[in-house]
Amino acid sequence: MVYWRLIRKSYRRNLQYRLSHLVNNVASAVFGLVFIAIWMGVLRGKQVHGPYDATTMAHYIAICQSVLWVTAFLSPGLHVQLGVRSGAVSLDMIKPVHYLWYTLSQEFGRLLYNACYRSLPIGILLGLAVGFYVPYHPLTYLLFPLSLLLAVYIAMLLFYLVGISSFWTTEVRWLHLILMSLLFGFGGQMIPVDLLPGILGEVAPFLPFAAMIYYPVMTWLELAPAHGIAVQVFWAVALTAIALLATGRARRKLEIQGG
């Protein structure tokens, strides 16, 4: 299958960066330890209402730091804007594969590499520091991979939409920065979204950003609400429809104006 070959090729291409990424892994683990230390200082020895005691928050941050490398640190715009700028996108559009799935397949291969050589080592390093959480319910071992795959898919679609916007704009860097700000603000990277104050804590769990970080982590910790997977499925379907529509519009724009 052509998409599987694209995934394998992208994965193998990233293998040459294994040694250079060791430094990044250590730095990411240090950031995780800093966040954990902050939460430990805030929660240790205090009466806590709800599930977020010091130990749970330590596990939460450790898992978040691991998940980030497959749901947040994607290629800006999935490099779509680079093809638009150079004109190479016209050749990609005429290939006998759908441009959306062609682009996502290449990024998914890179994310498989990140999962093996970045998320896993960081998770082990932080687990050795704060302990490993082992789910009690067997169903969690099925729900977590599903939740994580949905999170990865939603992330790729959002980054793709940033990239495809380059058909109508001259620069997508500002849109990428907005996306990253919303992701880190409402995704639950440093604080669970249900702890956000006021209306933010009520709205954030239903945004796509929570579906990218918060729900996979909470699923592994067996603290995810019953509607968590449903929220992720909704955004996966909705963003797929938007991405397909945007790709169709981009193709028509290219055919009319040339490229």
Side-chain angles (χ1 to χ4, degrees):
M1 187 177 180
V2 62
Y3 297 117
W4 176 243
R5 290 185 178 180
L6 288 170
I7 291 171
R8 290 177 58 192
K9 183 178 179 181
S10 178
Y11 174 85
R12 291 176 176 176
R13 183 169 61 246
N14 281 277
L15 288 176
Q16 59 186 313
Y17 302 110
R18 284 175 292 180
L19 293 178
S20 63
H21 287 159
L22 287 177
V23 177
N24 298 107
N25 292 343
V26 173
S28 183
V30 170
F31 275 112
L33 290 174
V34 171
F35 295 145
I36 290 170
I38 293 173
W39 278 107
M40 296 288 275
V42 171
L43 297 174
R44 180 171 287 172
K46 296 181 180 179
Q47 185 68 30
V48 179
H49 298 285
Y52 300 113
D53 56 21
T55 300
T56 301
M57 282 306 304
H59 290 148
Y60 180 89
I61 297 297
I63 301 171
C64 274
Q65 284 299 115
S66 301
V67 168
L68 284 177
W69 285 102
V70 293
T71 62
F73 298 139
L74 281 68
S75 304
L78 302 193
H79 296 318
V80 173
Q81 72 278 11
L82 301 181
V84 173
R85 190 175 304 161
S86 65
V89 68
S90 59
L91 298 177
D92 294 333
M93 284 283 189
I94 64 175
K95 291 178 179 178
V97 290
H98 196 284
Y99 182 70
L100 171 61
W101 311 125
Y102 169 77
T103 305
L104 296 191
S105 296
Q106 294 190 93
E107 185 65 17
F108 189 68
R110 176 179 173 272
L111 295 181
L112 279 179
Y113 165 83
N114 281 356
C116 295
Y117 294 97
R118 311 198 79 164
S119 293
L120 187 58
I122 291 170
I124 292 174
L125 288 174
L126 292 177
L128 292 174
V130 302
F132 297 92
Y133 179 83
V134 179
Y136 295 100
H137 303 289
L139 184 60
T140 302
Y141 295 94
L142 296 176
L143 291 178
F144 175 71
L146 173 60
S147 180
L148 185 60
L149 283 174
L150 286 170
V152 171
Y153 181 64
I154 291 169
M156 289 194 298
L157 288 173
L158 283 175
F159 279 76
Y160 174 82
L161 289 172
V162 169
I164 204 71
S165 70
S166 60
F167 277 82
W168 296 273
T169 62
T170 57
E171 180 60 65
V172 301
R173 187 178 305 174
W174 62 274
L175 192 56
H176 172 73
L177 293 176
I178 291 175
L179 173 59
M180 295 302 292
S181 298
L182 291 173
L183 174 57
F184 288 124
F186 298 106
Q189 182 233 351
M190 292 182 288
I191 177 173
V193 295
D194 55 317
L195 294 183
L196 293 174
I199 192 173
L200 291 179
E202 299 177 4
V203 174
F206 297 97
L207 298 178
F209 315 109
M212 296 163 61
I213 301 176
Y214 174 73
Y215 286 123
V217 176
M218 295 296 278
T219 298
W220 181 258
L221 294 176
E222 300 177 309
L223 296 174
H227 61 265
I229 295 292
V231 172
Q232 290 182 288
V233 170
F234 168 79
W235 282 113
V237 174
L239 291 172
T240 298
I242 296 172
L244 288 171
L245 178 62
T247 303
R249 295 283 181 86
R251 180 183 293 276
R252 285 196 294 271
K253 181 179 178 62
L254 185 66
E255 291 173 349
I256 294 172
Q257 296 185 355

